[in-house]
């Protein structure tokens, strides 16, 4: 009979001693034995710098190729030559890149082929002589005021106009649309097709301007607007007197809670 003996303490590694460091060669040997293949290195990557520089001499061509292969939109225009090819190569080889190189426009869209759109017009400033907006008494909105643009008016179009009356009797008006885009001019593009030269915004915004001053006098525009609104009849009155130049007593929030006041004898 063979007698089994317990190993001596020197035969087992001590749990308190540091384990010897594993070398890179040992890790690779284990990986090879398990997978049977060696990991790829960058030298075996499918794309390289030389190939990209030869086949795609411009940033636009490079962006389009990367987009076709990966669906990633790059922003390489104006970048240092080696940098943009390095970024493109990294994306093609599945390497993460800095987000600043990611674009947001399809590289096949050429802005030169697009019809330019005029920027939306700036809204004029509010008349500084008007009372604060907190002193507003009432307002009236009308979508039936004749359009200030002669061409639009000739087509019977109306504008949206808001009238505001303040506690001191001041009245203002503000035109706020409507707006639409309209094609202007024609030109021939590089494909021989006729297209608009530019798309412009058609509409009008006046900013809030004075119609009637505190002393009751009217501005030149105010006189014409009042005449137009007084010509629009409603029941026994007209639009101006009924809805715009209305007279209200001073609003007293305390009257909502106590309409009688603190002293019924007064």
């Amino acid at each position: 009979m063979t007698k089994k003996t317990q190993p001596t303490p020197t035969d087992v590694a001590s749990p308190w001693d540091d384990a010897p460091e594993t070398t890179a060669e040992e890790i690779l040997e284990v990986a090879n034995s398990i997978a049977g293949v060696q990991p790829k290195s960058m030298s075996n990557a499918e794309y390289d710098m030389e190939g990209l520089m030869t086949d795609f001499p411009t940033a636009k061509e490079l962006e389009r190729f990367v987009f076709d292969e990966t669906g990633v939109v790059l922003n390489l225009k104006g970048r240092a030559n080696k940098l943009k090819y390095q970024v493109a190569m990294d994306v093609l080889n599945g390497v993460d890149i800095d987000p600043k190189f990611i674009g947001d426009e399809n590289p096949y869209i050429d802005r030169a082929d697009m019809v330019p759109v005029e920027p939306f017009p700036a809204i004029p400033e509010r008349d500084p002589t008007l009372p604060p907006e907190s002193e507003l008494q009432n307002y009236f909105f009308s979508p039936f005021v004749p359009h200030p643009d002669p061409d639009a008016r000739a087509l019977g179009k109306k504008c949206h106009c808001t009238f505001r009356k303040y506690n001191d009797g001041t009245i203002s008006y503000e035109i706020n649309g409507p707006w639409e885009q309209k094609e202007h001019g024609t030109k021939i593009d590089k494909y021989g097709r006729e297209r608009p030269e530019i798309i412009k915004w058609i509409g009008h915004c006046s900013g809030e301007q004075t119609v009637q001053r505190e002393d009751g006098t009217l501005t030149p525009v105010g006189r014409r607007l009042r005449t137009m609104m007084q010509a629009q009849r409603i029941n026994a009155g007209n639009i101006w007197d009924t809805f715009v130049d209305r007279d209200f007593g001073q609003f007293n929030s305390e009257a909502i809670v106590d309409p009688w006041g603190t002293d019924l004898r007064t």
Side-chain angles (χ1 to χ4, degrees):
M1 173 182 285
T2 304
K3 183 179 180 180
K4 294 184 180 180
T5 59
Q6 184 176 356
T8 62
T10 56
D11 296 329
V12 181
S14 171
W16 313 114
D17 295 337
D18 293 332
E21 294 186 359
T22 303
T23 65
E25 289 77 9
E26 291 174 332
I27 294 175
L28 187 59
E29 182 180 355
V30 173
N32 289 338
S33 64
I34 296 175
V37 295
Q38 291 188 358
K40 293 182 179 181
S41 64
M42 289 303 294
S43 61
N44 295 325
E46 184 177 356
Y47 302 95
D48 62 17
M49 184 90 68
E50 182 179 356
L52 294 177
M53 295 180 72
T54 301
D55 295 338
F56 310 103
T58 67
K60 181 61 68 177
E61 292 176 323
L62 187 60
E63 289 174 352
R64 289 176 175 175
F65 176 70
V66 173
F67 180 75
D68 290 340
E69 294 295 313
T70 67
V72 176
V73 177
L74 293 178
N75 179 19
L76 301 178
K77 189 174 182 180
R79 308 286 186 183
N81 205 40
K82 288 186 177 181
L83 175 61
K84 64 187 177 186
Y85 284 102
Q86 180 65 54
V87 171
M89 185 178 68
D90 287 344
V91 174
L92 291 166
N93 289 324
V95 179
D96 293 335
I97 63 171
D98 193 314
K100 68 181 181 182
F101 297 116
I102 300 297
D104 55 6
E105 292 186 356
N106 188 313
Y108 284 96
I109 296 178
D110 190 347
R111 284 188 171 273
D113 296 334
M114 299 177 66
V115 179
V117 179
E118 180 183 60
F120 194 83
I123 299 177
E125 294 183 0
R126 183 176 186 266
D127 186 347
T129 65
L130 288 170
E133 295 181 1
S134 60
E135 296 183 12
L136 179 67
Q137 174 188 279
N138 64 278
Y139 71 92
F140 172 71
F141 171 77
S142 174
F144 304 114
V145 176
H147 205 287
D149 180 73
D151 294 335
R153 191 165 59 249
L155 296 174
K157 293 186 176 182
K158 308 296 183 181
C159 69
H160 296 170
C161 191
T162 301
F163 294 89
R164 297 178 178 88
K165 184 174 183 180
Y166 293 88
N167 293 330
D168 65 357
T170 300
I171 299 176
S172 70
Y173 79 96
E174 181 177 8
I175 300 174
N176 41 29
W179 289 91
E180 61 179 324
Q181 291 181 320
K182 185 177 180 180
E183 299 177 350
H184 277 256
T186 57
K187 63 181 296 185
I188 305 298
D189 64 15
K190 64 182 181 182
Y191 302 106
R193 299 174 302 190
E194 189 176 274
R195 68 167 202 183
E197 188 173 4
I198 190 172
I199 296 177
K200 292 187 175 182
W201 284 100
I202 302 300
H204 193 78
C205 276
S206 65
E208 189 179 1
Q209 308 300 326
T210 301
V211 171
Q212 177 176 290
R213 306 179 185 91
E214 182 181 357
D215 60 5
T217 59
L218 297 168
T219 64
V221 173
R223 285 193 293 269
R224 294 192 294 271
L225 282 173
R226 185 181 68 172
T227 299
M228 184 269 298
M229 300 294 280
Q230 286 179 335
Q232 298 178 4
R233 310 299 297 179
I234 178 171
N235 297 329
N238 60 75
I239 297 294
W240 178 268
D241 295 332
T242 304
F243 295 113
V244 179
D245 194 9
R246 304 177 68 178
D247 289 324
F248 290 100
Q250 288 293 327
F251 183 78
N252 185 354
S253 58
E254 294 180 359
I256 298 177
V257 179
D258 182 12
W260 309 110
T262 55
D263 190 350
L264 294 178
R265 294 172 298 179
T266 59

